[in-house]
Amino acid sequence: MVSSSHEALHRIFQEDPGLFARAVRNLGATFPPPLSTVELSTDLTETRPLERRVDTLLRMDTEDGSFLLAVESQGEPDPRKPASWAYYLSYAYAKYRIPPVLLVVCADRGTAAWAARQFDIGPRPWPSLILRPLVLGPDDVPVVASPDEAARDIPLTVLSAALHRRDPDADAILNALAKALKGLSADDESTAATYIELMEQGLGKTPAADIWRHLMAVDLSFFQSQTAQQLRAEGEAKGEAKGQAKGQAKAVLVLLGHRGVEVGEEDRERIIGCGDPDVLDLWLTRAITATSTAEVFDGEAD
């Protein structure tokens, strides 16, 4: 089953095709920015019995000519994939007569290292096909932790957060992205809503997803979009349900642990034992930047 985090890692290139040229510079690959882009059908099925679909397929028209960009989001090594990728490129080239490029996006470092290999297809003395994907993994996309830097390239920041979602830097990227989105004008509300949704998808079920959803409820309450309203409504619903207090307490502990803040047994019991949604919400907000549990409980009597 295709996961939402899988979708986000290739859909971001649909939202901003120019992101490809900017992102792969770190790989030593220089592509001119597109002058225009056409989204093509991802269906590369040749016969009825076998259906093949690439995740995203774009025609990129640049000042140096045109090329096809096939984007694949890969979650884990799969020995069957190189043959499928070779098929995608060969069939797309045969169909459109435009040179293809394969970009594989991996949030897992081991998978990125596997995908970055050269795949020789054919007998060892003379491979008939040589597959050389461009691969973007956590180590190939910089950590965007500055709000100013995030504002200059929001799509790259979304990609950065999605690829670093399991890293200690994830919360800094998400904070920078939230501030950048907050700086958008009211006319850009639909754009912000798109990247909010992509970011939520891209984080999957990692602890960073809890941080992002809380940032949406707190820092982006000014948005009136359907997405933002839904996020706020979910946040309010959590506060109304007593059982959800446990979820909020867990989110505080997960966030502190993710950021490397040591939580003693007494403080842990205090957080788990708190049944006040408002207090837990305050603690969760403080946990985003706190360097100790004392800062989380700042100003409150024991």
Side-chain angles (χ1 to χ4, degrees), residues 12-282:
I12 186 67
F13 293 93
Q14 297 176 19
E15 296 299 328
D16 182 6
L19 174 61
F20 168 70
R22 302 195 301 276
V24 299
R25 288 173 191 159
N26 298 303
L27 304 177
T30 303
F31 287 82
L35 301 176
S36 64
T37 305
V38 178
E39 187 172 341
L40 304 175
S41 171
T42 60
D43 189 350
L44 301 180
T45 305
E46 187 174 9
T47 58
R48 289 185 179 274
L50 183 62
E51 181 176 330
R52 297 181 185 270
R53 290 183 183 271
V54 65
D55 287 337
T56 286
L57 185 62
L58 302 171
R59 170 177 170 160
M60 310 281 273
D61 299 318
T62 77
E63 59 183 11
D64 291 342
S66 302
F67 65 92
L68 299 179
L69 176 63
V71 185
E72 282 279 286
S73 174
Q74 191 66 25
E76 59 185 16
D78 184 346
R80 300 169 298 177
K81 272 297 183 178
S84 296
W85 292 337
Y87 174 90
Y88 297 160
L89 297 180
S90 298
Y91 183 80
Y93 183 57
K95 180 176 181 178
Y96 296 105
R97 296 296 178 183
I98 300 174
V101 174
L102 173 64
L103 175 67
V104 183
V105 189
C106 312
D108 174 71
R109 284 180 170 81
T111 303
W114 166 81
R117 296 182 301 164
Q118 174 177 299
F119 296 95
D120 295 338
I121 300 175
R124 184 175 299 175
W126 191 267
S128 299
L129 292 174
I130 297 176
L131 182 67
R132 298 174 59 220
L134 283 168
V135 179
L136 288 175
D139 295 329
D140 305 306
V141 175
V143 171
V144 182
S146 161
D148 290 339
E149 188 179 356
R152 285 193 294 270
D153 198 335
I154 288 177
L156 182 62
T157 306
V158 172
L159 181 62
S160 174
L163 293 181
H164 291 280
R165 62 195 183 200
R166 296 185 180 90
D167 295 348
D169 298 310
D171 58 333
I173 304 172
L174 294 176
N175 274 279
L177 177 59
K179 289 181 173 64
L181 290 173
K182 193 171 184 178
L184 294 176
S185 66
D187 294 337
D188 293 321
E189 184 175 323
S190 62
T191 299
T194 297
Y195 290 126
I196 289 172
E197 178 187 359
L198 273 174
M199 190 70 272
E200 184 173 3
Q201 289 180 342
L203 295 173
K205 296 181 179 180
T206 61
D210 293 329
I211 300 174
W212 180 245
R213 293 182 68 82
H214 186 69
L215 285 171
M216 294 304 92
V218 175
D219 287 349
L220 298 185
S221 59
F222 61 91
F223 278 121
Q224 298 303 314
S225 67
Q226 182 177 354
T227 302
Q229 289 179 14
Q230 180 181 352
L231 287 170
R232 290 198 298 275
E234 290 176 1
E236 293 170 359
K238 287 181 179 180
E240 294 171 359
K242 181 178 179 180
Q244 291 299 325
K246 293 183 178 180
Q248 287 176 289
K250 182 179 179 181
V252 173
L253 293 173
V254 168
L255 177 54
L256 290 173
H258 180 68
R259 299 188 60 249
V261 177
E262 184 176 351
V263 181
E265 189 60 32
E266 184 177 344
D267 290 337
R268 182 179 297 274
E269 292 296 330
R270 180 177 179 180
I271 293 170
I272 294 175
C274 180
D276 189 329
D278 292 333
V279 172
L280 287 166
D281 190 64
L282 176 61

